[in-house]
Amino acid sequence: MTSKIVVLDPITPETARRMRGLLPPGLVLEHAEGRDRAHLLAIVADADVIVSGQIPVDADLLRAAPRARLLHKWGVGVDNFDLEAARAQGVTVARTTGSNAMPVAEFTLGLMIALLRNLAWGHCSLRGGEWRNTSMPKPSLMLSGKTVGLIGFGAIGKNVARLLAPFGGRILYNKTRPLDAAEEQALGVTYASVPELLKEADVVSLHCPLTPQTQGLIDRAALQSMKRSAVLINVARGGVVNEQDLADALRAREILGAATDVYETEPPPAGHPLLALDNVVATPHIAAMAADNFEKTINQMFGNIARFARGEGVPPTDFVC
């Protein structure tokens, strides 16, 4: 019996071709051609499996897919899924745990350096016909020797810590349950409360999931508790940061700069306050996108789907609910 996978994210024909080339026997794949709501509701009507990376999946969309019994995240964070609605409809939810940990960790390091050294600003000003190597928007600082604070310390945070080790700075981390002493020593990290981390870090990097506890975690008060010479990196979720508070703090130079790959609303609306500031590096939610990691991620996801279709269930590491 064939199971139909519907990918809600609009993908290119080349991406669809690569995905179909990795399909296990008994699975077929279709994908969205755009983000239009009516189109998404229509294409899931005969889906057995729904796959989404960045497209929200709510109760109405699930009801439009009466055959679907598996909702699979193309990635890790499931804050764009209505988990209660999935449970109510008997839909299992899964994800590709750890699949994008190294790509996002590398991207995080890139954002740190791009922001600290004014790389994005230099690129844009030179393309605009200006040669401004003595009038940068903020001091150009090295990452070497800096104290970096990681809020959220799962697979991505741990990989960031490993990549930071050669820079010779201090690495603070915060997570719900601190690591044991041996693992802290192996990773070269020290536990800190969020207030301690914000106060001491030169670079604060967010890697926590979006939950009721982390919603708006970085607000104006949190930003004002940071060093005026510190920078903020967000590759977690837009809702972890109050974006208006961040824009206000950056204009007031209460912190030195910020880099973000994620936004409260995606795509961000025209006139978004962060996009007009020269002490911000902004990218369009691309941290997990690495062409040479594609096959690994898709094989993990399709493996889960194939096992589910055979009645074997989803591996515990990738099972959400």
Side-chain angles (χ1 to χ4, degrees), residues 238-278:
V240 176
V241 176
N242 183 311
E243 292 174 348
Q244 188 59 59
D245 282 3
L246 176 58
D248 292 342
L250 288 165
R251 287 194 201 94
R253 301 289 169 165
E254 292 168 354
I255 64 170
L256 193 63
T260 185
D261 187 51
V262 290
Y263 307 86
E264 291 177 291
T265 299
E266 296 186 353
H272 191 285
L274 293 178
L275 301 183
L277 301 176
D278 60 10

Side-chain angles (χ1 to χ4, degrees), residues 147-170:
T147 296
V148 178
L150 306 174
I151 297 179
F153 203 64
I156 295 170
K158 289 178 182 178
N159 275 313
V160 173
R162 294 183 183 102
L163 293 174
L164 284 170
F167 289 86
R170 186 167 58 130

